[in-house]
Amino acid sequence: GVAIASGGEPLFHLFGFAACLLATSGRALKSVVQAMLLSDSSEKLDPMSLLFYMSSFSVLLLLPMTVLLEPASFAQVHDLVRNRPGFMWSLLVNSCIAYLVNLTNFLVTKYTSALTLQVLGNMKGVIAAGISIALFKNPVTAKGMLGRRSKLRQ
């Protein structure tokens, strides 16, 4: 479905297509490993503990990359916090929502399966594409619609 939808995309770029395939494969691998860790009785990991370990690793990986690739970003955030009082609250609310989304993903994986999480992720992608078309009037081809439709049937 992704390949068909991408092939029918008027704004197609090979790098974007490769990134999409890599992200889809990575998400599938992450979901399977999550399911193994949450269901293995010898590991005894609950969703909250798994979120703690994965978040810690993400911070250790992403913080140096941010310093290296976006050195001005910390100063920009500092300026936004200082000049716009509501920005800190927006950042805090956004962080809380991200935490709840990740915890919900782990709970869905624990109580159902990694496949269920993938199906929900595919639905989210189709809904996001529909909203993008409706709000931003992105061009759509028949081939792209066929690809999105086949994505639903996976």
Side-chain angles (χ1 to χ4, degrees):
V2 172
I4 294 171
S6 297
E9 176 65 38
L11 304 173
F12 177 80
H13 193 279
L14 186 59
F15 182 75
F17 177 71
C20 182
L21 286 180
L22 184 64
T24 301
S25 301
R27 191 176 90 205
L29 177 64
K30 177 184 161 274
S31 296
V32 169
V33 171
Q34 258 174 223
M36 289 170 39
L37 289 172
L38 290 170
S39 63
D40 187 5
S41 59
S42 66
E43 292 293 333
K44 296 187 179 171
L45 266 179
D46 59 295
M48 193 72 153
S49 299
L50 183 59
L51 181 58
F52 170 76
Y53 291 121
M54 288 185 72
S55 299
S56 301
F57 180 74
S58 294
V59 168
L60 290 175
L61 181 70
L62 293 174
L63 195 58
M65 294 303 292
T66 304
V67 170
L68 180 68
L69 298 173
E70 299 182 43
S73 62
F74 294 105
Q76 289 172 347
V77 169
H78 181 265
D79 288 342
L80 284 170
V81 168
R82 191 179 60 222
N83 297 329
R84 298 181 186 198
F87 181 76
M88 189 56 146
W89 286 109
S90 297
L91 200 57
L92 183 64
V93 168
N94 187 11
S95 299
C96 290
I97 290 172
Y99 164 78
L100 290 173
V101 166
N102 284 309
L103 184 60
T104 303
N105 281 343
F106 292 152
L107 288 168
V108 167
T109 302
K110 180 175 178 69
Y111 293 112
T112 58
S113 69
L115 178 62
T116 303
L117 189 63
Q118 288 300 107
V119 170
L120 291 172
N122 285 344
M123 285 296 300
K124 181 178 78 172
V126 170
I127 291 168
I131 290 172
S132 171
I133 291 165
L135 288 180
F136 304 115
K137 309 294 186 232
N138 289 340
V140 181
T141 63
K143 195 175 190 182
M145 290 301 287
L146 178 66
R148 287 183 181 86
R149 185 170 179 252
S150 69
K151 189 176 181 179
L152 283 175
R153 292 179 181 232
Q154 288 178 346

